[in-house]
Amino acid sequence: MAVFCFAVVITEGLHPQLAQSIRDTTPTKHWSAFEIPIVFDLANGDLCYFQGTPLWGAAYYAGFRKEIENNLR
């Protein structure tokens, strides 16, 4: 059994450095769980989340990104 958590923050005027940090920072590794922080900026429609694929999540991350885009864009 695994748990998937997409923690979403909706804001206006996200600072560009924070947006880049969210895109570049590998989410915390958990045993049998995945947690991906996501920020949606209402001011420009920008959706920020980790853009890479960690080795420990390689089998899942393409699907995670697809779910994020399909449900939040």
Side-chain angles (χ1 to χ4, degrees), residues 42-72:
L42 292 172
N44 61 16
D46 197 16
L47 187 60
C48 303
Y49 54 91
F50 180 61
Q51 298 295 309
T53 302
L55 182 60
W56 50 263
Y60 300 100
Y61 264 74
F64 291 162
R65 285 189 291 272
K66 184 177 177 181
E67 285 298 317
I68 290 167
E69 291 291 333
N70 287 341
N71 289 295
L72 298 173

Side-chain angles (χ1 to χ4, degrees), residues 4-44:
F4 305 96
C5 176
F6 300 106
V8 181
V9 172
I10 300 172
T11 188
E12 277 190 63
L14 180 64
H15 193 281
Q17 286 178 322
L18 179 56
Q20 193 60 48
S21 175
I22 293 166
R23 289 185 185 104
D24 293 342
T25 303
T26 305
T28 303
K29 182 179 173 183
H30 299 287
W31 178 259
S32 190
F34 295 90
E35 174 186 3
I36 301 175
I38 303 164
V39 177
F40 183 73
D41 188 350
L42 292 172
N44 61 16

